[in-house]
Amino acid sequence: MCDMLRKSIAGGIMISLGGAAYLSIPDKTLGAFVFSLGLLSILIFEKLLFTGLTGHVRWFSSPTRSSEIMLMSLLGVTDYTPSKRTLFITLIGNLAGCQLMGWVLRIANPELTIKADELLLSRGARLL
């Protein structure tokens, strides 16, 4: 459990660094590319990200009909089904890692939080 929590905290730190890079680069296309490097670093270093595990959890019963089993085998779906406990620990660790990195970035670069607030306010105004 501790290893899982460490990996999920590290995943939260990596994704928040990707988000900070996205916010700090004026060209949003380049920023999106740099953000994707944060996602790739999670894959390369085998860290845990909540959004990466959510699609693998079986919320319902396992497939029992032969057509469902055949479809899963054709798609190459393996039986990697994390438990709901794993999903919860990963979510808590990702939130903790993002919060920790948010505090560090707020101290290191206060202008970044101003940019993030402006971006959120501009997108919120468009939604209304």
Side-chain angles (χ1 to χ4, degrees), residues 34-47:
V34 173
F35 178 76
S36 70
L37 293 178
L39 291 172
L40 286 173
S41 66
I42 290 172
L43 289 173
I44 290 169
F45 294 114
E46 297 178 354
K47 303 305 177 195

Side-chain angles (χ1 to χ4, degrees), residues 98-117:
C98 286
Q99 184 66 47
L100 178 70
M101 206 60 215
W103 287 332
V104 169
L105 288 171
R106 184 174 293 222
I107 292 169
N109 189 0
E111 295 172 5
L112 189 62
T113 56
I114 295 170
K115 286 182 184 179
D117 291 340

